[in-house]
Amino acid sequence: WEMILPKRLKRMYDVLNERTRYITVLIEAVDDPHNQAAVLRTAEAFGVQDIHIVTGKAPFSPNRLVTRHADQWLTLHRQPDIETAINDLKQQGYQVYASYLGEGTIPLSDIDVSKPTALLFGNEHSGVSDEALKLADGTFVIPMYGFVQSFNISVAAALALYDVTERARRQAGTRYYLSSNEKKALYQQWMWQTL
Amino acid sequence: WEMILPKRLKRMYDVLNERTRYITVLIEAVDDPHNQAAVLRTAEAFGVQDIHIVTGKAPFSPNRLVTRHADQWLTLHRQPDIETAINDLKQQGYQVYASYLGEGTIPLSDIDVSKPTALLFGNEHSGVSDEALKLADGTFVIPMYGFVQSFNISVAAALALYDVTERARRQAGTRYYLSSNEKKALYQQWMWQTL
Ligand SMILES: C[S@@+](CC[C@H](N)C(=O)[O-])C[C@H]1O[C@@H](n2cnc3c(N)ncnc32)[C@H](O)[C@@H]1O
Ligand SMILES: C[S@@+](CC[C@H](N)C(=O)[O-])C[C@H]1O[C@@H](n2cnc3c(N)ncnc32)[C@H](O)[C@@H]1O
């Protein structure tokens, strides 16, 4: 890295230094293109690099007016089904926390961020599947105080990422950030695709 | 209030006890019906009772699939223009904090919640107007770490309300909640409209 960089490279450099794989997102059957796009945009804004995707009834085709090109900076992982997705994440060392509004769920702020954590969000109507709930290491809920029964999924993902990345940034130290090699690889990929 | 209440009245009672006018929301020229609706739904979920609305180019017609009837439990205040809206709020004792991505803005978590606070959110493209920025008591930004330049307004409102209501609930004590008279009035209104 050179000391003086053109503005654009400087920006890449700054963003790379805030990037994380310590926190990741898995979406299951999020069908609305507006919601798909909003999750990508928010994750990118919080520096979360990887998004794992299991489609439901609708294809994955995030609304381009909403993403604002966030997808171009992210690493999207398509998974054939929820079992493969969760087992893959576990094998990579993640604990998987599923958002869940039912009984026995812990508040968002109680998720232990001393380990790499994947947050799982579910379908607009049916939520996270039973299969996913069985495979997950735990479930969490964002506390609600009104009549409305749930947040929109894009809002829920934003609130969860805000809380979890903020705490992990403080607690996980250097483990939160990418290694030099990871940064280099990502930098090359970004350079390549912006050519 | 009776000790044993039918389920539905019990729910109203619980929600009333979490309701706040200490934190309020002002939206200026938020034109997208999806975003209008999402703000209402999220505010209701956090127990925020009052929403102040200044329309822009588009009418205020929140998408009914997104609101999930949140509007039915809220008090919506239509204001003719932003000057009237902000001056009204100030006269009611609110400090007005405008979301703003430019220079000299403070991070969300630094907003002082020892006073009643109104949060102002702006148009999808142009943001909060210059006039509003001049009249506001201060500006705030939700820190961003990626390439994306801004959050979607409905995400920004959710993140700001999450942070501010959480801190105010802990710091403001009973001032955060409605008075008995306010609760009674709202209860009557809710009963009336659910008949
Ligand atoms: C509209 S909700 C689904 C509601 C569904 N009826 C249920 O009970 O799960 C869509 C998704 O948003 C997320 N979500 C909504 N509200 C949430 C909350 N309060 N806490 C955690 N996740 C939430 C979950 O991922 C959920 O799968
Ligand atoms: C898409 S943004 C508008 C972007 C516009 N170019 C600007 O600079 O304000 C729409 C609204 O979302 C809110 N917003 C978006 N990102 C925000 C952030 N990081 N902090 C605070 N508010 C934000 C603001 O209310 C803004 O007016």
Side-chain angles (χ1 to χ4, degrees), chain A residues 99 101 121-125 127-128 141-142 144 150-151 153 156:
Chain A
S99 53
L101 298 157
F121 302 94
N123 176 263
E124 284 83 355
H125 301 289
V128 168
V141 66
I142 305 155
M144 307 190 71
S150 64
F151 291 107
I153 144 80

